[in-house]
Amino acid sequence: MDKAIVIENLSKEYKNNRGIYDINLEINPGEIFGFLGPNGSGKTTTMKIMVGLMKADRGDVRINGYSISKDYEQAMKNIGCIIENVTPFPYLTAYENMKLCGRFYADVDDIRIYKSLETTGLIKYKNEKIKNYSLGMKQRLGIAMAILSNPEIIILDEPFNGLDVEGMVEMRELIIAMSKQNKTTFFISSHLIHDIELTCDKVGVLYGGKLLGVDSTQNILKNYSSLENYYLSEVDLNGDF
């Protein structure tokens, strides 16, 4: 079976000597992968390279078998993503923003737009202008945009940010349901350990630009009392470079 995402020797160094170094990772179709690390550890850099918003110094990413450096269009064909902040047009309604977003895809109609808004709990606010939305509602709209084309792979940078407790629970349930029902592959970054533990099948710990360890959540919780303990132990063992 082909891997959904393969990251090979991915490296990117900034002028301030921060960046990411030799990241290697494989994610299977339908898996929910959690990229766990503190702010500034290189999560967003990795994800920007994965979707072509930034060039790597070395290494490559293959999505559904297609290289992002050699076959970008094919690699991006079945991907939905939110990297950094969601920035919809504030003077448009949620529906209008979704309609605009839908123009990038061949088969998105109003039914698909309403389904995405319903899935993310925004259907009753579809005619409200985004400038009146809370941070959590904007985050949900971002997810609605990411799932609009019914992609096979969804890449989400800090999707739990700005959500209240209820919103976090709903977001976790949405991700797990899509993974189970549609076999959607998720690549999620977060610094919120609890949400990663409750959502993801597999976890990678990124610290100081290096991938310290990757394991299934099941294995981690067999050997450690919590994901937090695993994280602290990995950072303790490998975190001082």
Side-chain angles (χ1 to χ4, degrees):
M1 181 171 62
D2 279 347
K3 301 287 178 190
I5 300 170
V6 176
I7 298 176
E8 288 172 334
N9 305 319
L10 203 63
S11 299
K12 171 82 181 176
E13 196 164 342
Y14 296 109
K15 286 194 176 81
N16 61 6
N17 294 327
R18 281 167 63 176
I20 54 169
Y21 310 94
D22 286 321
I23 290 179
N24 288 282
L25 192 55
E26 291 188 347
I27 294 152
N28 295 315
E31 236 168 21
I32 306 173
F33 174 78
F35 212 23
L36 183 62
N39 293 331
S41 59
K43 301 188 302 291
T44 301
T45 296
T46 308
M47 294 168 101
K48 278 183 170 176
I49 294 169
M50 286 170 72
V51 298
L53 292 174
M54 189 182 275
K55 268 200 163 147
D57 295 340
R58 291 181 306 283
D60 199 11
V61 179
R62 288 200 313 278
I63 293 169
N64 286 331
Y66 295 103
S67 155
I68 55 152
S69 56
K70 298 187 187 87
D71 210 345
Y72 181 70
E73 276 192 31
Q74 282 296 119
M76 290 293 108
K77 216 173 179 181
N78 283 301
I79 281 197
C81 67
I82 303 178
I83 309 291
E84 289 188 314
N85 297 330
V86 183
T87 49
F89 293 106
Y91 51 86
L92 295 180
T93 66
Y95 169 76
E96 287 164 344
N97 268 289
M98 292 288 279
K99 193 82 177 162
L100 210 54
C101 184
R103 289 172 62 183
F104 292 100
Y105 307 103
D107 51 357
V108 168
D109 55 11
D110 275 5
I111 293 168
R112 184 72 215 145
I113 288 172
Y114 291 148
K115 178 91 166 58
S116 300
L117 288 170
E118 198 172 326
T119 303
T120 49
L122 290 177
I123 194 73
K124 57 179 179 241
Y125 309 109
K126 69 178 188 296
N127 296 320
E128 205 172 301
K129 284 193 167 61
I130 301 308
K131 63 179 185 187
N132 302 324
Y133 270 26
S134 67
L135 180 59
M137 286 168 81
K138 284 177 188 163
Q139 197 73 350
R140 285 170 194 238
L141 183 63
I143 305 282
M145 287 173 166
I147 66 175
L148 184 57
S149 64
N150 217 4
E152 291 171 16
I153 298 172
I154 297 180
I155 297 173
L156 301 174
D157 188 14
E158 300 280 359
F160 305 107
N161 263 12
L163 296 176
D164 55 21
V165 175
E166 195 182 330
M168 281 181 181
V169 172
E170 284 171 7
M171 192 61 69
R172 290 200 303 259
E173 286 172 354
L174 168 64
I175 290 165
I176 292 164
M178 284 184 72
S179 162
K180 283 201 174 107
Q181 289 159 21
N182 308 344
K183 296 284 178 281
T184 308
T185 308
F186 281 91
F187 190 107
I188 300 168
S189 80
S190 185
H191 61 278
L192 302 169
I193 292 181
H194 183 63
D195 287 300
I196 290 287
E197 182 177 324
L198 293 175
T199 313
C200 300
D201 309 312
K202 192 194 270 184
V203 178
V205 173
L206 192 70
Y207 192 86
K210 293 197 173 184
L211 194 58
L212 303 187
V214 179
D215 205 347
S216 71
T217 313
Q218 201 175 8
N219 268 354
I220 291 167
L221 296 179
K222 242 185 236 170
N223 299 310
Y224 296 85
S225 59
S226 67
L227 181 56
E228 188 173 345
N229 282 359
Y230 168 74
Y231 171 80
L232 293 171
S233 137
E234 285 295 316
V235 169
D236 207 31
L237 282 172
N238 309 298
D240 302 317
F241 308 119

